[in-house]
Amino acid sequence: VVVAVRLQDVAARAGVSVKTVSNVVNGYVHVRPGTRERVQAAIDELGYRPNLSARSLRSGRSGVIALAVPELDMPYFAELTRFVVQAADGHGLTVLVDQTDGLAERERLVMTGIRGHLIDGLVLSPVATDADELAAAAGQVPIVLLGEKVTQGPVDHVAIDNVAAARAATEHLLDAGCERVAALGDQPDSPQGSGVAALRRQGYEDALAGRGLPLDEGLVVPVDSYRREEGARAVARLLDDGEPPDGVFCFNDTLALGALRALADRGVRVPEDVAVIGVDDVEDGRYAVPSLSTMAPDKQQIASTAVQLLVDRMRGRRDAGPRDVAAGFELVVRESSRRGRPAEHATARA
Amino acid sequence: VVVAVRLQDVAARAGVSVKTVSNVVNGYVHVRPGTRERVQAAIDELGYRPNLSARSLRSGRSGVIALAVPELDMPYFAELTRFVVQAADGHGLTVLVDQTDGLAERERLVMTGIRGHLIDGLVLSPVATDADELAAAAGQVPIVLLGEKVTQGPVDHVAIDNVAAARAATEHLLDAGCERVAALGDQPDSPQGSGVAALRRQGYEDALAGRGLPLDEGLVVPVDSYRREEGARAVARLLDDGEPPDGVFCFNDTLALGALRALADRGVRVPEDVAVIGVDDVEDGRYAVPSLSTMAPDKQQIASTAVQLLVDRMRGRRDAGPRDVAAGFELVVRESSRRGRPAEHATARA
DNA sequence: CTGTTAGCGCATTCAA
DNA sequence: TTGAATGCGCTAACAG
């Protein structure tokens, strides 16, 4: 900052007091139109910009919220981030994006360290944090959780109904004529039993049970991460081990994309030999060859709801009980699981 | 914040003055070991966190830098963001991620509005800002540019040599036996003549000229954006218009991914009928079917260099002349342009 | 409707 | 090496 233009300078220029300028800047209603105009003119001429640090120090609010996701370069989070930034913008809030790498330590830092009181609230997509820590942190700063559901957690939370979505995905494969549907993406060693992986596995099992089908543990493949390479590796394992599946429900699209690649490498035809579906409706999936069927969460709704919940908390609603919002989702059938009918162009939908 | 623990509280607890605590917190050297220990203990017990707003108000520095990219959900920027956050972390800096949507207005906001003095520096991937605005803004806050090169701009800048990269990509296609290589991604209506599009087009033309080949304007396809759908649309246009190409150099991987999809829709075989190459080495490309050849920029180097340049500026180097750093890049040949030899698995490299 | 004033928490003079 | 006092720019009482 070369020249520091302060409220005071504007006041002098406009021939009013500091308070009046402050009122104008903050859109306070009771200012005479003429005064407002004069002040605004002074602001423009001087190029005044409020000093956020000072404002924050004084008011205790910064207008900045943090969004913490495991990995920014996972397409789902990248897309979601975009919507969160957009939603926050609508509330005049700035978003500080953080990457936790799914590490407990980094998630804790985001919650507690909280940038030295710089943050008014936090939207967190937790992977490794338990309910106790969450409760403790929520006392310090408003928090809204995304995606994972710490069993009846102590804080606000928005996510799709993962069990229902997983069940619908599996049933879609069954409806398409699959008889051996694999589930790809289990995380049995995850610290908490209620993460998305467990929920999606539950939905998968429910679907099988609903059709009177037995659960074959050999068809449930665990992964270390939700990246493409793990999807590819898991498929390789599946194909090498005994009787191969004729359908694969991947716990997210990224895994599915890796799976598609591995299937192609083996010369397995999709969807003829194996039908594939994922979750997330990531843009890559729409343009993959074959295009990827998926359970599409309403990302926009998730983002705007999360920000709204957070804003509510930030404005007073501090001690009210936690709210749980279920976002919508939708089955999108594309080439990877479409059997019998001629293929549509993925580009038609994009 | 429930309980506000201040420097003063820590001082009282440790039985020293505020100044001493401040010295410890800021790692000032001249503090007696015993004192330091006692203070540190008090800090830990009280869970003291420095108030960034106050610090920033007083010192004029916030420890926050902004990264502004056109679209967060474009894979290249998502991946780059990750590296920038990482690099900034190494300098004890926090990154505020911004999305400009490539809009001049939003880029200007990021530069000038600058969050009310909240930002110590800015890493900007400009699309619509011209040299004059840049120069003006750079006087207000340290800026480092990414990717685009405003002709001999007034500010620090890091990017790959786009002309050379484009030329190498085109030559690779020519070497693979292509005789009609199209260039996909031109942006003739771009406000500035020196954006990446123009540079890559230049490299493409240089490659042709180097081989004594004529430039066929019909093979240079403009796009509105660098998204998959535009890549698909451009290929459709190319295929419908007269004599089709046997090679396509896409100005980035996302366009190439869209192109691959459109090619598949038309039953055109890649690389047999048409070889394809992109730029960026985005993860999707590694798992696409066929896997995508690309010019891979060293993203890590780009990010760490950008942050380093910015840090240099922030520490004094305010008026020194602008520096230009060329980051490395590398040709990565995958299935989409590999002819003659058996296909390798993309997964082998990932 | 507008002016005056007192601090928010910290880094930083200047002394001691 | 440490302590005491000052003010960064702003908002929120409180007057007027």
Side-chain angles (χ1 to χ4, degrees):
Chain A
V1 183
V2 171
V3 283
V5 181
R6 297 158 306 159
L7 223 42
Q8 209 174 100
D9 304 320
V10 178
R13 171 80 163 214
V16 298
S17 83
V18 191
K19 168 66 165 138
T20 303
V21 182
S22 174
N23 282 343
V24 172
V25 170
N26 295 298
Y28 187 56
V29 208
H30 300 297
V31 179
R32 223 182 311 171
T35 313
R36 181 183 298 281
E37 250 174 57
R38 227 175 35 230
V39 171
Q40 189 57 53
I43 288 178
D44 293 341
E45 285 165 33
L46 266 38
Y48 168 76
R49 303 275 157 209
N51 183 321
L52 268 214
S53 302
R55 178 180 289 178
S56 157
L57 175 59
R58 178 63 234 222
S59 68
R61 278 166 292 111
S62 64
V64 178
I65 63 174
L67 169 66
V69 297
E71 326 232 5
L72 251 175
D73 56 352
M74 300 223 335
Y76 174 72
F77 290 114
E79 294 181 14
L80 189 65
T81 299
R82 158 155 229 164
F83 286 118
V84 170
V85 169
Q86 209 170 284
D89 223 59
H91 290 271
L93 261 20
T94 297
V95 178
L96 204 112
V97 184
D98 258 307
Q99 224 172 230
T100 63
D101 292 321
L103 267 29
E105 176 55 22
R106 290 187 61 96
E107 291 187 358
R108 191 172 311 124
L109 267 178
V110 170
M111 291 188 299
T112 64
I114 285 303
R115 311 266 173 236
H117 317 190
L118 186 60
I119 260 67
D120 290 346
L122 169 65
V123 177
L124 171 67
S125 183
V127 173
T129 305
D130 63 35
D132 288 345
E133 287 180 289
L134 242 19
Q140 304 288 111
V141 61
I143 297 184
V144 172
L145 257 35
L146 245 37
E148 300 263 339
K149 171 154 186 173
V150 178
T151 29
Q152 290 310 329
V155 298
D156 291 343
H157 172 262
V158 32
I160 60 171
D161 181 338
N162 276 296
V163 177
R167 176 171 185 154
T170 309
E171 286 173 343
H172 163 64
L173 257 23
L174 263 12
D175 289 341
C178 298
E179 299 186 333
R180 285 178 54 76
V181 175
L184 200 163
D186 198 25
Q187 302 212 284
D189 300 332
S190 172
Q192 57 199 81
S194 52
V196 276
L199 295 172
R200 289 181 187 171
R201 180 185 167 137
Q202 183 63 52
Y204 163 77
E205 293 182 2
D206 288 356
L208 295 184
R211 302 287 170 102
L213 296 169
L215 171 65
D216 179 348
E217 284 289 350
L219 287 177
V220 179
V221 193
V223 298
D224 290 335
S225 77
Y226 274 24
R227 298 197 148 265
R228 290 175 184 78
E229 73 189 88
E230 277 292 288
R233 191 188 312 173
V235 157
R237 204 175 318 154
L238 219 35
L239 260 31
D240 291 338
D241 279 14
E243 202 179 345
D246 58 2
V248 182
F249 164 43
C250 299
F251 286 10
N252 84 349
D253 279 0
T254 320
L255 287 173
L257 259 5
L260 286 184
R261 176 68 228 188
L263 258 7
D265 287 343
R266 303 284 187 122
V268 177
R269 293 171 308 160
V270 176
E272 295 82 356
D273 301 331
V274 176
V276 176
I277 188 170
V279 180
D280 282 351
D281 189 26
V282 133
E283 191 173 359
D284 321 71
R286 297 208 267 276
Y287 287 84
V289 181
S291 57
L292 181 64
S293 296
T294 193
M295 297 301 315
D298 187 338
K299 300 191 195 83
Q300 162 121 38
Q301 186 197 356
I302 292 174
S304 62
T305 305
V307 172
Q308 184 59 61
L309 289 181
L310 196 59
V311 168
D312 289 350
R313 284 271 168 210
M314 297 187 324
R315 297 205 246 273
R317 212 183 167 287
R318 299 295 286 238
D319 319 299
R323 289 171 296 177
D324 246 299
V325 178
F329 62 87
E330 169 194 17
L331 170 66
V332 178
V333 180
R334 301 205 186 97
E335 293 166 0
S336 71
S337 72
R338 187 184 292 124
R339 286 169 163 180
R341 277 171 295 161
E344 267 169 43
H345 292 173
T347 49
R349 189 180 182 274
Chain B
V1 184
V2 171
V3 284
V5 182
R6 297 157 307 158
L7 224 41
Q8 207 175 99
D9 303 318
V10 178
R13 171 82 162 211
V16 298
S17 84
V18 185
K19 166 71 160 117
T20 305
V21 182
S22 174
N23 282 343
V24 172
V25 170
N26 295 300
Y28 186 56
V29 206
H30 301 295
V31 179
R32 223 179 312 171
T35 312
R36 181 183 298 280
E37 250 175 57
R38 227 170 36 215
V39 171
Q40 188 57 54
I43 288 178
D44 294 342
E45 287 166 33
L46 267 38
Y48 168 76
R49 302 275 157 207
N51 183 321
L52 269 212
S53 302
R55 178 179 290 179
S56 159
L57 175 59
R58 178 65 232 223
S59 67
R61 279 166 291 111
S62 64
V64 178
I65 64 175
L67 168 66
V69 297
E71 326 233 2
L72 253 175
D73 55 353
M74 299 222 338
Y76 174 72
F77 290 114
E79 294 181 15
L80 190 65
T81 298
R82 156 156 232 166
F83 286 118
V84 170
V85 169
Q86 208 169 283
D89 222 59
H91 289 270
L93 261 20
T94 296
V95 178
L96 201 106
V97 184
D98 259 307
Q99 226 173 228
T100 63
D101 292 321
L103 267 28
E105 177 53 21
R106 290 187 62 96
E107 291 187 357
R108 191 173 311 124
L109 267 178
V110 169
M111 291 188 300
T112 63
I114 284 303
R115 313 263 172 238
H117 316 190
L118 185 61
I119 260 66
D120 289 347
L122 169 66
V123 177
L124 171 66
S125 183
V127 173
T129 305
D130 65 34
D132 287 345
E133 288 179 288
L134 242 19
Q140 304 287 111
V141 61
I143 297 185
V144 172
L145 257 35
L146 245 37
E148 300 264 341
K149 172 155 182 170
V150 177
T151 28
Q152 291 309 330
V155 297
D156 291 344
H157 172 261
V158 31
I160 60 171
D161 181 337
N162 276 297
V163 177
R167 176 170 186 156
T170 308
E171 286 174 344
H172 163 65
L173 257 22
L174 262 14
D175 289 340
C178 297
E179 300 186 332
R180 285 179 53 78
V181 175
L184 200 163
D186 197 25
Q187 302 212 283
D189 300 331
S190 172
Q192 59 200 79
S194 53
V196 277
L199 296 172
R200 289 181 187 172
R201 177 183 170 138
Q202 183 64 53
Y204 163 77
E205 293 182 2
D206 288 356
L208 295 184
R211 302 287 171 101
L213 296 169
L215 171 66
D216 178 348
E217 284 289 351
L219 286 177
V220 179
V221 193
V223 297
D224 290 334
S225 77
Y226 275 22
R227 298 198 148 263
R228 289 175 184 79
E229 73 189 86
E230 277 292 289
R233 190 187 314 173
V235 158
R237 203 175 321 156
L238 219 35
L239 260 31
D240 291 339
D241 279 12
E243 203 179 345
D246 58 2
V248 182
F249 163 44
C250 299
F251 286 9
N252 85 347
D253 280 359
T254 320
L255 286 173
L257 259 5
L260 285 184
R261 177 66 228 190
L263 257 9
D265 286 344
R266 304 281 187 124
V268 177
R269 292 170 308 160
V270 176
E272 294 82 357
D273 301 331
V274 176
V276 176
I277 188 169
V279 180
D280 282 352
D281 190 25
V282 133
E283 192 175 0
D284 321 70
R286 297 209 269 275
Y287 287 84
V289 182
S291 58
L292 180 65
S293 295
T294 193
M295 298 300 314
D298 188 338
K299 300 190 196 84
Q300 163 121 38
Q301 185 197 356
I302 292 174
S304 61
T305 305
V307 172
Q308 184 61 58
L309 289 181
L310 195 60
V311 168
D312 289 351
R313 283 274 167 209
M314 297 186 325
R315 298 204 246 272
R317 212 181 168 289
R318 299 295 288 239
D319 320 300
R323 288 171 298 176
D324 246 298
V325 178
F329 63 86
E330 170 194 18
L331 169 66
V332 178
V333 180
R334 300 208 185 95
E335 294 166 1
S336 70
S337 72
R338 189 184 290 124
R339 285 169 163 181
R341 276 173 295 161
E344 267 169 45
H345 291 173
T347 49
R349 190 180 182 274

